[in-house]
């Protein structure tokens, strides 16, 4: 890939101190140092509430995606729940414009599926939107099946894909399929920016992992993330981990 579609983002103007956004570590880091993208795959990992969704949602909106998710052609809205961070964000783009794109917001994938069905009901018999998603209504598939149908059929390469917890619907086998698809899409000049809690996904090769903590954002090896270490420690000896967590031995 000659150039990334998204190279960096920063906050040129301060956010008023009384705004809750100003207290988030990601926002403080953006204001102080900005965030640079160096790889075709970038992960944001951090505790619940650390600001991952706020960050990638603002980036997606700044690039013209619907705040509730979908392609740039989606314009439905069920609840105006996105933050105003996008109004403050400055994004540096590469020289090449992506040909494809998708913003996945885990909480509103259901609404994306409904919107596709609705567009086809109102479409007047032309080429059906659902055909680009494998042909079967996403509502008539399981959560994980419909997500994989989206990635396998709709993601076409040379794209900017901004995904919030894509693992939410997926079994470990599903995560492996997602990684295989990502590998193909990366070879085909795509850029992924992903918020995740999945230690498996974090191991995707040649990715940059930004870990968000109270004291800011740091680029780390996936093996050094809290998520990876906690999961490995647990799985290496689940019985002893459960004893520590619950303060008692298992009865069985
Ligand atoms: N309207 C709001 N007013 C005040 N605080 C808010 C508002 N919306 C979100 N927050 C807070 O902003 C913080 C960041 O939320 P965000 O959804 O970005 O976290 P996250 O890292 O994506 O978490 P998770 O891993 O649980 O998805 C949270 O502490 C949340 O409570
Ligand atoms: Mg989130």
């Amino acid at each position: 890939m000659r150039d990334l579609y998204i190279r960096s983002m920063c906050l040129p103007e301060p956010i008023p101190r009384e705004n809750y956004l100003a207290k988030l570590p990601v926002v403080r880091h953006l204001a102080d140092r900005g965030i640079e993208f160096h790889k075709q795959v970038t992960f944001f990992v951090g505790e619940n509430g650390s600001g991952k969704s706020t960050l990638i949602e603002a980036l997606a909106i700044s690039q013209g995606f619907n705040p509730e998710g979908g392609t740039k052609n989606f314009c439905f809205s069920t609840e105006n729940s996105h933050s105003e961070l996008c109004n403050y964000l400055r994004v540096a783009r590469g020289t090449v414009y992506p040909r494809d794109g998708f913003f996945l917001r885990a909480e509103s994938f259901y609404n994306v599926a409904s919107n596709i069905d609705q567009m086809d009901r109102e479409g007047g018999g032309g080429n059906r939107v659902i055909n680009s998603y494998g042909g079967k209504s996403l509502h008539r598939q399981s959560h994980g099946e419909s997500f994989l149908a989206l990635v396998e059929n709709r993601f076409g390469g040379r794209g900017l894909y901004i995904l919030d917890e894509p693992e939410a619907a997926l079994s470990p086998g599903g995560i492996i399929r997602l990684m295989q698809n990502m590998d193909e899409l990366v070879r085909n000049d795509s850029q992924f920016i992903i918020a995740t809690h999945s230690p498996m996904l974090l191991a995707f090769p040649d990715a940059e992992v930004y870990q968000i903590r109270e004291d800011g954002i740091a680029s780390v090896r996936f093996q050094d993330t809290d998520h990876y270490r906690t999961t490995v420690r647990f799985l290496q000896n689940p019985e002893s981990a459960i004893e520590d967590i619950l303060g008692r031995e298992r009865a069985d």
Side-chain angles (χ1 to χ4, degrees):
M1 192 165 169
R2 269 185 298 141
D3 195 3
L4 296 174
Y5 302 121
I6 304 293
R7 287 176 176 168
S8 66
M9 51 187 179
C10 65
L11 287 182
E13 306 278 328
I15 292 184
R17 263 193 294 166
E18 60 278 13
N19 189 325
Y20 79 92
L21 287 169
K23 293 178 193 69
L24 290 181
V26 283
V27 174
R28 290 201 311 266
H29 185 99
L30 265 179
D32 293 345
R33 300 162 61 183
I35 294 174
E36 287 189 1
F37 296 91
H38 305 105
K39 302 280 187 179
Q40 281 177 261
V41 178
T42 305
F43 292 111
F44 289 97
V45 63
E47 268 312 315
N48 295 125
S50 57
K52 303 177 298 297
S53 298
T54 306
L55 182 71
I56 68 168
E57 182 186 281
L59 174 64
I61 297 169
S62 77
Q63 298 309 296
F65 290 100
N66 180 24
E68 293 209 34
T71 68
K72 293 187 183 180
N73 297 328
F74 283 68
C75 54
F76 71 93
S77 167
T78 48
E79 198 174 343
N80 194 0
S81 63
H82 67 274
S83 81
E84 52 183 315
L85 181 60
C86 56
N87 302 336
Y88 294 90
L89 201 62
R90 179 181 295 165
V91 177
R93 295 154 57 133
T95 49
V96 181
Y97 196 76
R99 192 191 60 178
D100 188 30
F102 204 94
F103 170 40
L104 175 86
R105 233 188 103 172
E107 306 97 297
S108 48
F109 187 51
Y110 182 92
N111 299 334
V112 169
S114 300
N115 193 237
I116 293 169
D117 286 355
Q118 189 187 345
M119 285 192 281
D120 280 337
R121 275 197 304 275
E122 295 168 356
N127 196 14
R128 293 165 70 232
V129 179
I130 194 64
N131 289 345
S132 327
Y133 294 78
K136 183 174 176 185
S137 166
L138 300 181
H139 278 314
R140 300 206 340 256
Q141 305 179 54
S142 78
H143 189 192
E145 284 171 338
S146 58
F147 175 68
L148 288 170
L150 165 79
V151 176
E152 287 172 359
N153 299 292
R154 176 61 192 72
F155 289 14
R158 283 162 54 192
L160 171 64
Y161 304 108
I162 301 176
L163 312 178
D164 195 356
E165 297 189 34
E167 73 275 12
L170 299 176
S171 68
I175 293 177
I176 289 166
R177 262 172 74 185
L178 169 63
M179 290 202 275
Q180 288 166 334
N181 280 281
M182 282 173 57
D183 187 46
E184 210 177 305
L185 289 157
V186 163
R187 285 171 205 275
N188 195 0
D189 289 349
S190 298
Q191 182 176 2
F192 285 86
I193 296 172
I194 301 178
T196 187
H197 291 296
S198 167
M200 281 176 75
L201 199 53
L202 286 173
F204 191 85
D206 203 29
E208 177 146 55
V209 179
Y210 280 123
Q211 177 163 254
I212 304 169
R213 284 182 169 161
E214 264 308 304
D215 56 358
I217 303 180
S219 177
V220 297
R221 298 188 324 147
F222 75 89
Q223 298 94 326
D224 293 332
T225 59
D226 298 333
H227 285 52
Y228 184 87
R229 286 184 168 171
T230 303
T231 308
V232 167
R233 210 178 308 127
F234 189 95
L235 292 179
Q236 271 171 347
N237 193 343
E239 289 81 7
S240 133
I242 287 287
E243 261 180 60
D244 284 350
I245 293 164
L246 303 183
R248 59 180 158 80
E249 286 182 35
R250 291 164 61 107
D252 54 348

